[in-house]
Amino acid sequence: MKGLQKIHQKLNLLSLDVVFGAVAGMVFFSTVLGVHPRALEYLLLALAVWGVYTLDHLIDAWSLKEIAQTKRHSFHQNYFKTIFACWGTMVLLGTALVILSESLHYVLLPGLVLGVTMVLWMVVIRKLVPQAVWLKEISIALFYVLGILLVPFLKADRELINSSSYFLAFGYVLVAWLNLLILSYQDRDSDKKDGFESILSFLSKGQLEVLIIGLGVLGGMYFVGLLLWLPSYFHIFSGILLLILLFHAIQFLKAGQNPELMRSRLELSFLLPFLLLLFN
């Protein structure tokens, strides 16, 4: 058991649990839209997500003048050169996949547009317009969902992209946003000591608590509404999103949890869409 916990901890430190969660998200939207991405397309998503998250952690680790307060950032400080070399290798591999595999050319331009837009937007709210730092979490949630939705959307029959698909995509953004708000709440002390900005640069701890609880309640009502209103085919998707949201709510309401342990548990909840593979 301890061995599995150590493996899980390493996966979390390297953001690999986030990668698996993103792949599960792509399974989710692929099933919603009735498409079947190939292994290369899943691999490309995994490389892209790992590259973005790892680059963000490396930049944070590089910017710190002292030892980081969190295990995740101190890990990237201690193994900065090794992780940076792995990051560069993965970027080259992902680039080679897109260029050399003709079947992936369709995702090149949309992927570049999404990536450049994300980078420019994050630079604007984090560096050029610091007053907009409160948009950080919702922006990351939105770009995360757009990223996992990109391939299924491009491959889907346009007749199958209907209002139900958009309602589910909005719901996915909600749970991703809730996840990031809870993580910001849990990391508030370490982020403050390390000088990292988050929504708590704009809201007080109490106000963020209210926002998280309010979003959880509204999200729960939203997913129950989808269960009642959408056609029966979409019930399993609404149910999975509701389960993820409920798991987040339960974890948030547990007092005195270790922030790193909570982070790893919350990331695991995004693996629930893999259950859809049992029905394919």
Side-chain angles (χ1 to χ4, degrees):
M1 192 66 176
K2 289 184 178 180
L4 289 175
Q5 289 178 343
K6 288 184 178 180
I7 292 173
H8 181 219
Q9 184 183 49
K10 294 298 183 184
L11 292 177
N12 181 258
L13 290 174
L14 288 167
S15 299
L16 291 176
D17 53 353
V18 177
V19 172
F20 292 135
V23 171
M26 188 165 160
V27 169
F28 181 92
F29 286 113
S30 296
T31 309
V32 169
L33 297 173
V35 299
H36 303 281
R38 295 170 300 114
L40 272 182
E41 289 160 324
Y42 281 111
L43 176 59
L44 185 62
L45 173 70
L47 291 172
V49 171
W50 188 81
V52 170
Y53 273 78
T54 299
L55 179 61
D56 184 58
H57 294 331
L58 287 171
I59 292 174
D60 286 342
W62 180 74
S63 67
L64 291 172
K65 306 304 180 184
E66 299 179 357
I67 297 176
Q69 296 294 314
T70 64
K71 289 183 179 179
R72 185 174 66 263
H73 286 118
S74 63
F75 178 82
H76 283 75
Q77 282 180 321
N78 294 335
Y79 301 98
F80 186 91
K81 292 182 179 179
T82 301
I83 297 173
F84 182 75
C86 291
W87 177 82
T89 302
M90 294 302 104
V91 169
L92 290 175
L93 176 59
T95 304
L97 277 177
V98 175
I99 293 175
L100 298 178
S101 179
E102 189 174 343
S103 62
L104 292 177
H105 285 180
Y106 76 96
V107 82
L108 179 58
L109 182 58
L112 279 175
V113 171
L114 179 60
V116 170
T117 302
M118 178 184 68
V119 170
L120 291 177
W121 177 247
M122 296 308 292
V123 168
V124 167
I125 66 173
R126 295 181 71 172
K127 302 296 183 182
L128 301 182
V129 188
Q131 302 91 327
V133 70
W134 60 275
L135 291 171
K136 174 186 172 183
E137 285 80 5
I138 184 61
S139 299
I140 294 173
L142 179 60
F143 284 118
Y144 172 80
V145 174
L146 289 175
I148 62 179
L149 181 59
L150 184 63
V151 166
F153 179 83
L154 293 175
K155 291 176 72 75
D157 186 332
R158 289 296 172 267
E159 294 181 358
L160 296 178
I161 303 176
N162 51 37
S163 59
S164 298
S165 305
Y166 291 115
F167 284 128
L168 290 171
F170 178 74
Y172 221 106
V173 173
L174 280 181
V175 294
W177 187 25
L178 181 64
N179 171 271
L180 292 166
L181 290 176
I182 293 175
L183 293 180
S184 292
Y185 180 86
Q186 287 296 112
D187 292 341
R188 61 189 182 278
D189 293 332
S190 58
D191 282 347
K192 185 176 181 180
K193 291 177 181 178
D194 287 334
F196 296 142
E197 294 182 328
S198 70
I199 195 168
L200 282 166
S201 303
F202 179 78
L203 299 179
S204 68
K205 175 187 172 184
Q207 289 172 326
L208 182 54
E209 286 179 348
V210 171
L211 176 58
I212 290 172
I213 293 172
L215 185 61
V217 172
L218 290 175
M221 294 171 61
Y222 179 78
F223 292 127
V224 170
L226 292 187
L227 285 169
L228 295 174
W229 181 66
L230 293 184
S232 58
Y233 171 76
F234 297 101
H235 286 179
I236 188 171
F237 306 110
S238 303
I240 285 175
L241 292 178
L242 179 59
L243 285 175
I244 296 174
L245 182 139
L246 289 175
F247 184 81
H248 276 68
I250 291 170
Q251 292 299 311
F252 179 70
L253 294 174
K254 283 184 178 179
Q257 282 204 77
N258 179 285
E260 297 295 335
L261 180 60
M262 176 180 275
R263 176 182 291 273
S264 62
R265 287 176 176 174
L266 294 183
E267 297 302 344
L268 280 176
S269 70
F270 284 97
L271 300 183
L272 279 173
F274 278 133
L275 292 174
L276 294 170
L277 296 175
L278 300 176
F279 302 95
N280 285 348

